[in-house]
């Protein structure tokens, strides 16, 4: 039953100390499989193409068509969930959640309610310098609906994304602040990207989230009545919903009214929400086992193969960067925000054994160059190997190149590619002490080969390569032949 209330402006900030937020999230992540969940329509391009061009009789709900479960969706989902430490149910079933809405061609959603594919799990993250672990209540697979566009006084429907696979992740009411909730979401995004399960871009609707919130006096164990905001679609909006809804509920309680359990709609432009409908319960959806799909039985080999694809958790990397590599918090955060970037860092550390310099060459030089350049480049798109950056760092650490000059070498690599050693030599940047060592080698070669020197000077210029070879040999092939070339030319005249 809905109660009408008239909120008096008696809200006082001191109540914020007495009442805490209790938040639970339902997150939907679009799995990046090649094809949709139950048919062979393409999945990844579903949103970009012309409306209603990427559909078939299965995903547009023709009554006689039989869905066929996409194995890749199950595999990717399993990888994502296992990254969150879930327990796997070898046998699961699909259920129909029936409701009518114009974007739902089948009039039911194929989901899992009674026996889901996985169970439990948790996500660890860092919230304001504190490591926290948030419990997940359950997770399952389901298919997406189409998309409605309201324009010119009409509503248009596009079924391109109908039948796209979604992983649903439902948390326990474990968050106590907007920061808790948004850091959790960011962590999910990182996990999905690291494991190649989803791009989880909220702007593109690849990750959406329902925010459930109630408030309670800090001393009270029992939870209050919650409201739900559906399909909140940016990290910022999640944060704004939480703070606005908290204040709204506080005002209600302070005016001695009760919070209604309802679904509310958030308007991010005005920063306000309005009641949409009173909360439905499972009964309203007439859930029943999906008769068109057989129970899903996972074989051990299949589970094992998915396990092989697990990668180190982004948060574990972040903690390792802080504790073992002793990086600054901001740097650790920046490097692990993008798994490719942290892979690059990992490789650089492996080659240089110098985490601090590896970090600073990435963050202060490479990323700055990428930012300055007009092209939208990723660290993995650079046209020189990570080995070259490692070589620059190693040269600096061996006192063969100054820090100042090293920047010029990286810039040259960035602009024209090539090899670090070649650039250092071409630009005569190898440090003095080494030049002396090289000159000493060349002098030695000249002294030891006087006959050949005479030959070269008087009639046989072809013999020049011989001196280069001798110098290389004497230097144990540690140096670039080009530099010997230069030196020998100078000395032999
Ligand atoms: P449904 O939306 O189908 O009713 P649940 O009852 O399991 O599903 O809850 C959905 C979400 O609401 C979960 O994320 C859960 O953590 C959260 N939730 C449940 N009770 C509360 C509460 N009192 N306050 C805040 N969040 C809650
Ligand atoms: Mg719900
Ligand atoms: Zn289809």
């Amino acid at each position: 039953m809905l109660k009408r209330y008239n909120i008096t402006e008696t809200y006082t900030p001191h109540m914020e100390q007495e009442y805490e937020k209790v938040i639970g999230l339902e997150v939907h992540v679009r799995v990046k499989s090649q094809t949709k969940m139950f048919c062979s329509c393409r999945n990844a391009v579903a949103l970009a193409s012309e409306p209603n061009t990427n559909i078939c009789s299965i995903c547009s709900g023709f009554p006689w068509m039989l869905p066929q479960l996409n194995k890749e969706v199950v595999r990717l989902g399993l990888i994502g969930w296992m990254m969150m430490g879930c327990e796997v149910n070898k046998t699961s079933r699909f259920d129909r959640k029936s409701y009518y809405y114009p974007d739902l061609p089948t009039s039911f959603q194929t989901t899992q309610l009674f026996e889901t594919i996985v169970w439990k799990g948790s996500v660890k993250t860092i919230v304001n310098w504190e490591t926290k672990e948030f419990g997940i209540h359950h997770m399952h697979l389901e298919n997406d609906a189409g998309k409605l566009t309201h324009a010119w006084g009409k509503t248009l429907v596009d079924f391109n994304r109908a039948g796209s696979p979604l992983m649903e992740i439902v948390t326990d009411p474990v968050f106590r602040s907007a920061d808790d909730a948004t850091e959790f979401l960011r962590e999910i995004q990182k996990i999905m990207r690291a494991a190649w399960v989803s791009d989880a871009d909220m702007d593109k609707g690849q990750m959406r989230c329902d925010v459930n919130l109630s408030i309670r006096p800090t001393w009270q164990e029992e939870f209050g009545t919650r409201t739900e905001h559906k399909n909140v679609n940016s990290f910022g909006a999640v944060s704004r919903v939480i703070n606005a809804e908290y204040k709204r509920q506080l005002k209600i309680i302070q005016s001695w009214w009760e919070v209604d359990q309802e679904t509310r709609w958030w308007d991010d432009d005005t920063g306000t929400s309005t009641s949409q409908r009173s909360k439905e319960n499972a009964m309203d959806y007439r859930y029943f086992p999906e008769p068109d799909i057989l129970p899903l039985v996972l074989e051990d080999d299949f589970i094992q193969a998915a396990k092989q694809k697990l990668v180190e958790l982004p948060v574990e990397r972040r903690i390792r960067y802080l504790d073992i590599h002793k990086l600054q918090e901001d740097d650790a955060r920046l490097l692990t925000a993008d798994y490719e970037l942290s892979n690059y860092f990992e490789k650089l550390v492996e080659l240089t054994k110098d985490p601090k310099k590896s970090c600073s060459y990435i963050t202060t030089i490479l990323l700055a160059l990428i930012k300055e350049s007009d092209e939208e480049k990723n660290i993995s798109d650079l046209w020189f190997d990570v080995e070259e950056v490692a070589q620059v760092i190693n040269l600096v650490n061996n006192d063969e190149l100054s820090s100042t000059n090293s920047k010029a070498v990286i810039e040259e690599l960035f602009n024209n590619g090539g090899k670090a050693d070649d650039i250092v030599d071409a630009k005569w940047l190898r440090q003095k002490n080494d030049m002396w060592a090289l000159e000493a080698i060349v002098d030695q070669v000249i002294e030891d080969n006087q006959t050949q020197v005479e030959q070269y000077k008087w009639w046989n210029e072809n013999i020049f390569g011989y001196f280069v070879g001798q110098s290389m040999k004497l230097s144990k092939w540690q140096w670039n032949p080009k530099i010997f070339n230069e030196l020998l030319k100078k000395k032999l005249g």
Side-chain angles (χ1 to χ4, degrees):
M1 191 190 63
L2 285 174
K3 284 192 213 80
R4 299 233 154 264
Y5 45 77
N6 207 352
I7 301 164
T8 49
E9 285 298 325
T10 49
Y11 167 74
T12 44
H14 79 266
M15 279 186 73
E16 291 190 14
Q17 265 106 60
E18 290 161 37
Y19 279 83
E20 71 171 357
K21 309 175 179 93
V22 173
I23 307 152
L25 298 176
E26 293 165 72
V27 189
H28 288 100
V29 177
R30 187 186 312 282
V31 177
K32 60 172 174 186
S33 54
Q34 292 294 309
T35 53
K36 291 185 183 180
M37 193 157 162
F38 298 114
C39 62
S40 51
C41 293
R42 287 162 307 152
N43 176 37
V45 291
L47 295 172
S49 40
E50 275 282 294
N52 298 310
T53 54
N54 187 42
I55 56 175
C56 69
S57 41
I58 294 176
C59 58
S60 40
F62 282 51
W64 56 87
M65 296 309 293
L66 284 178
Q68 206 170 15
L69 182 60
N70 180 348
K71 202 170 175 177
E72 194 196 3
V73 169
V74 179
R75 192 177 68 80
L76 290 172
L78 212 54
I79 294 169
W81 288 313
M82 287 200 287
M83 291 283 290
M84 297 185 266
C86 67
E87 290 165 30
V88 179
N89 292 330
K90 286 193 180 169
T91 306
S92 64
R93 283 166 221 277
F94 286 89
D95 303 291
R96 279 190 188 182
K97 177 183 183 179
S98 316
Y99 65 97
Y100 173 76
Y101 205 67
D103 65 3
L104 189 68
T106 44
S107 279
F108 62 82
Q109 192 183 18
T110 309
T111 178
Q112 296 192 306
L113 177 72
F114 303 111
E115 289 169 79
T116 54
I117 179 167
V118 290
W119 194 246
K120 298 222 172 288
S122 67
V123 169
K124 198 200 270 186
T125 189
I126 303 174
V127 185
N128 303 326
W129 294 279
E130 191 188 337
T131 305
K132 293 186 179 179
E133 189 148 1
F134 297 113
I136 288 169
H137 184 264
H138 69 268
M139 310 190 261
H140 64 250
L141 282 173
E142 63 186 31
N143 60 355
D144 206 352
K147 188 175 159 225
L148 298 182
T149 306
H150 307 282
W152 313 294
K154 293 194 171 78
T155 296
L156 304 167
V157 60
D158 174 12
F159 289 143
N160 277 352
R161 76 169 193 201
S164 277
L166 299 174
M167 306 169 61
E168 173 155 349
I169 301 156
V170 182
T171 76
D172 287 315
V174 283
F175 311 104
R176 297 291 172 269
S177 68
D179 285 352
D180 278 0
T182 50
E183 285 299 344
F184 169 84
L185 288 170
R186 283 183 202 280
E187 204 62 51
I188 297 251
Q189 183 181 59
K190 286 183 214 164
I191 291 172
M192 294 301 158
R193 289 177 177 178
W196 283 89
V197 171
S198 171
D199 293 335
D201 200 326
M202 289 190 93
D203 290 342
K204 295 187 182 139
Q206 293 158 342
M207 180 160 119
R208 311 193 292 262
C209 139
D210 304 342
V211 178
N212 293 272
L213 184 140
S214 64
I215 66 172
R216 65 173 175 190
T218 42
W219 44 263
Q220 181 183 304
E221 205 162 314
E222 204 183 311
F223 291 141
T225 306
R226 77 185 144 117
T227 60
E228 178 170 5
H229 286 80
K230 281 200 185 289
N231 288 332
V232 185
N233 57 13
S234 73
F235 296 117
V238 167
S239 199
R240 289 187 286 277
V241 163
I242 289 172
N243 291 320
E245 180 60 12
Y246 172 69
K247 287 204 172 146
R248 195 189 67 89
Q249 292 191 13
L250 257 189
K251 281 185 190 172
I252 293 170
I253 285 175
Q254 194 168 38
S255 316
W256 301 97
W257 289 93
E258 279 171 31
V259 174
D260 292 316
Q261 185 171 344
E262 61 185 356
T263 301
R264 298 184 63 85
W265 182 76
W266 174 254
D267 182 349
D268 207 33
D269 293 332
T270 59
T272 53
S273 66
T274 39
S275 176
Q276 227 180 2
R277 56 190 142 107
S278 60
K279 176 74 191 157
E280 72 283 342
N281 58 36
M283 279 295 281
D284 297 334
Y285 287 126
R286 291 177 291 123
Y287 276 102
F288 63 91
E290 167 62 59
D292 286 346
I293 300 172
L294 289 170
L296 171 61
V297 181
L298 301 176
E299 285 166 2
D300 287 335
D301 285 355
F302 185 82
I303 299 174
Q304 228 34 57
K307 256 193 196 139
Q308 298 282 311
K309 298 282 176 194
L310 303 188
V311 294
E312 186 182 18
L313 282 171
V315 70
E316 297 295 355
R317 276 198 173 170
R318 196 163 145 197
I319 291 170
R320 190 156 56 77
Y321 292 177
L322 292 170
D323 293 352
I324 312 275
H325 293 337
K326 308 281 180 219
L327 300 188
Q328 301 287 326
E329 169 68 33
D330 285 350
D331 289 334
R333 189 188 172 94
L334 178 73
L335 288 174
T336 53
D338 175 347
Y339 212 69
E340 295 256 13
L341 190 64
S342 74
N343 281 342
Y344 197 92
F345 172 73
E346 293 280 316
K347 186 83 207 199
L348 210 47
V349 174
E350 188 191 313
L351 294 168
T352 61
K353 312 276 178 276
D354 186 339
K356 287 245 163 69
K357 277 212 182 73
S358 297
C359 170
S360 73
Y361 274 74
I362 291 177
T363 57
T364 63
I365 306 181
L366 282 176
L367 291 184
L369 285 170
I370 290 176
K371 214 170 153 193
E372 280 166 25
S373 76
D374 294 331
E375 301 148 81
E376 215 179 279
K377 260 193 197 156
N378 218 320
I379 195 103
S380 53
D381 303 331
L382 298 177
W383 46 351
F384 52 94
D385 297 332
V386 58
E387 280 80 2
E388 302 311 316
V389 182
Q391 179 62 3
V392 171
I393 295 174
N394 288 336
L395 289 174
V396 171
N397 282 342
N398 290 338
D399 285 330
E400 289 176 47
L401 180 67
S402 72
S403 296
T404 333
N405 286 337
S406 73
K407 204 175 160 212
V409 178
I410 303 261
E411 268 168 15
E412 177 65 21
L413 282 170
F414 188 84
N415 293 325
N416 300 314
K419 297 262 166 214
D421 276 312
D422 293 350
I423 296 168
V424 170
D425 292 335
K427 290 181 182 286
W428 291 86
L429 297 176
R430 221 177 273 277
Q431 260 161 13
K432 267 283 172 325
N433 49 350
D434 298 300
M435 281 311 289
W436 289 334
L438 289 172
E439 279 198 60
I441 289 172
V442 169
D443 289 341
Q444 186 71 47
V445 168
I446 291 174
E447 201 185 311
D448 292 351
N449 298 281
Q450 276 306 310
T451 347
Q452 286 85 347
V453 171
E454 288 306 308
Q455 268 185 37
Y456 174 77
K457 281 193 174 157
W458 295 108
W459 50 275
N460 188 7
E461 295 219 332
N462 295 337
I463 201 173
F464 185 77
Y466 170 78
F467 300 115
V468 179
Q470 288 300 305
S471 307
M472 289 294 287
K473 196 172 157 192
L474 204 61
S475 73
K476 301 200 173 65
W477 285 275
Q478 279 174 5
W479 301 106
N480 196 316
K482 267 195 196 158
I483 199 154
F484 284 126
N485 249 323
E486 301 277 355
L487 275 172
L488 282 160
K489 281 229 171 82
K490 233 170 45 180
K491 296 213 175 230
L492 293 171

